Amino acid sequence: MAEPRWLDDDEFRAWIGYRRMRLLLDAQVSQDLLRESGLSAPDYDVLSALTSSEGHRRRLTELADRMLWSKSRLSRHIGRMEQRGLVSREECESDARGSVVALTEHGLRTIQEAAPRHVESVRRHFVDLLTSEQIQALGGIAETVLARLAPGEELGR
Amino acid sequence: MAEPRWLDDDEFRAWIGYRRMRLLLDAQVSQDLLRESGLSAPDYDVLSALTSSEGHRRRLTELADRMLWSKSRLSRHIGRMEQRGLVSREECESDARGSVVALTEHGLRTIQEAAPRHVESVRRHFVDLLTSEQIQALGGIAETVLARLAPGEELGR
DNA sequence: CGGCAGTCGTTTACACGTCAACAACATGGT
DNA sequence: ACCATGTTGTTGACGTGTAAACGACTGCCG
């Protein structure tokens, strides 16, 4: 095998820094979320995706695709969240195989209370530490990398 | 609760972009690693940390601290890697409670063959897509965020 | 219509991580 | 030397992710 192009110092710093940031930042934000709102990060993602869906409900496969989760994973997770009363399963009218996942009243209140604290946590450990130039740079970096990994995806609100 | 400072468009783009990049980039790089070298990302991290240790061996707790892993996780993972002949456990001379984890001949060959392919994968999906300004910016971002989460850590080679 | 490839969601078996408890040992003060 | 306290690495119980197989159902083509 030909000698590869090893990473130079800047590249190494960026890659290792990214990996370490990913480890610590996600752990910290998840911990805050769990302590302050009783939600795991995946819980929050599910509730968040449902909140921004029409009628606060969505087909299981649609939801899985949107979240980039496997159907299996989502099915299991929805089962657990259903036990806790955060979401509910409904039959799909147009397809007898299908399931529709819906936000419950309790789930809605939970995400509404969790969201502001979560935003504060993200600010505390991340956004507020960076300059607006850095924020823009990171947005551009993510966009570039994702354009290759997930063509045709938008980072819309 | 007072109305929180919601994220503006740039901040939202950076945060969501980061989260989605983390999801897809790590999945892609891990998949390459497993297909090309038969190693999981955690496997690679362990081998990598051992390779850059004196004598290709290290106390279990030291290794766990360095990797930011729990001792439990490392102990279990070392057990599995031992089964595959990648590492071996030795008794510690200076502390009868202790274990020393050592790279085997097979483990060394494996990481040496895996490294160039892994670097190529990181380049393909990440480093080579970015300008040197973006690489430097990301290094700075990670450094800033980590300074708060892991005070007194260095991103040394 | 009838049949059949394909999709939907669930489930089974397994891999892997965490937390808490544990035995074995180290360490420091008296 | 002795005991209290803390550390080390492993383990059991558990929660959660994946891959593959599955039954139920759809939709299309002959």
Side-chain angles (χ1 to χ4, degrees):
Chain A
M1 152 135 12
E3 189 66 9
R5 291 147 49 231
W6 296 107
L7 300 183
D8 68 30
D9 285 354
D10 280 350
E11 290 165 344
F12 186 83
R13 186 174 83 119
W15 175 245
I16 297 302
Y18 162 73
R19 301 223 81 208
R20 195 147 280 225
M21 179 171 81
R22 162 197 177 322
L23 204 64
L24 290 181
L25 179 58
D26 291 12
Q28 187 63 58
V29 170
S30 297
Q31 189 183 317
D32 285 357
L33 190 58
L34 191 60
R35 191 185 53 242
E36 295 170 357
S37 307
L39 295 174
S40 70
D43 291 340
Y44 188 92
D45 290 342
V46 169
L47 294 180
S48 179
L50 280 179
T51 303
S52 62
S53 300
E54 314 157 37
H56 288 175
R57 72 197 63 231
R58 194 174 278 258
R59 281 290 294 275
L60 194 142
T61 295
E62 263 178 55
L63 194 57
D65 288 347
R66 183 187 171 89
M67 299 181 68
L68 306 176
W69 280 20
S70 70
K71 286 184 277 191
S72 165
R73 176 180 184 185
L74 185 56
S75 177
R76 290 179 168 292
H77 206 153
I78 292 301
R80 280 171 245 138
M81 293 180 74
E82 199 175 13
Q83 299 282 318
R84 297 195 282 150
L86 293 168
V87 298
S88 64
R89 272 185 234 251
E90 300 171 353
E91 296 177 7
C92 179
E93 299 175 6
S94 61
D95 188 335
R97 295 167 300 183
S99 265
V100 173
V101 185
L103 208 52
T104 62
E105 202 44 56
H106 176 225
L108 183 60
R109 276 202 315 277
T110 301
I111 183 72
Q112 282 173 345
E113 286 173 20
R117 305 170 209 244
H118 180 57
V119 171
E120 283 302 328
S121 171
V122 170
R123 285 201 169 281
R124 194 161 55 244
H125 302 301
F126 189 60
V127 170
D128 283 354
L129 304 176
L130 304 175
T131 66
S132 63
E133 286 77 21
Q134 286 177 312
I135 291 289
Q136 288 194 349
L138 184 58
I141 289 167
E143 204 165 69
T144 301
V145 173
L146 288 173
R148 201 175 175 289
L149 289 173
E153 288 250 347
E154 287 299 323
L155 286 186
R157 270 214 112 104
Chain B
M1 149 135 18
E3 189 65 10
R5 291 149 46 233
W6 296 107
L7 300 183
D8 67 29
D9 284 353
D10 281 349
E11 290 165 345
F12 186 83
R13 185 174 84 119
W15 175 245
I16 297 301
Y18 162 73
R19 300 223 81 208
R20 196 146 280 228
M21 178 171 82
R22 163 198 176 319
L23 204 64
L24 289 182
L25 180 57
D26 292 13
Q28 188 63 57
V29 171
S30 297
Q31 188 183 317
D32 285 356
L33 191 57
L34 192 60
R35 192 187 51 242
E36 296 171 355
S37 308
L39 295 174
S40 70
D43 291 339
Y44 188 92
D45 290 342
V46 169
L47 294 180
S48 179
L50 281 179
T51 302
S52 61
S53 300
E54 313 157 37
H56 287 175
R57 69 197 66 230
R58 194 174 279 258
R59 282 291 293 274
L60 193 143
T61 295
E62 265 177 54
L63 194 57
D65 287 348
R66 182 186 171 90
M67 298 181 68
L68 306 176
W69 280 20
S70 71
K71 285 184 277 190
S72 166
R73 177 181 184 184
L74 185 57
S75 177
R76 295 202 125 95
H77 208 272
I78 292 300
R80 279 171 247 138
M81 293 181 74
E82 200 176 12
Q83 299 283 317
R84 296 196 282 149
L86 293 168
V87 300
S88 63
R89 273 185 234 251
E90 301 171 353
E91 295 177 9
C92 178
E93 297 178 7
S94 62
D95 187 336
R97 295 167 300 181
S99 267
V100 172
V101 185
L103 208 52
T104 61
E105 202 45 54
H106 176 225
L108 182 59
R109 274 201 316 276
T110 301
I111 183 74
Q112 283 173 344
E113 286 174 21
R117 304 169 209 246
H118 179 57
V119 171
E120 283 302 328
S121 171
V122 170
R123 285 201 170 281
R124 193 161 55 242
H125 301 301
F126 188 61
V127 170
D128 283 355
L129 304 177
L130 304 175
T131 66
S132 62
E133 287 77 22
Q134 286 176 313
I135 290 289
Q136 287 194 350
L138 183 58
I141 289 167
E143 203 165 71
T144 302
V145 173
L146 288 173
R148 202 174 175 287
L149 288 173
E153 289 250 346
E154 288 299 324
L155 286 185
R157 269 215 114 105

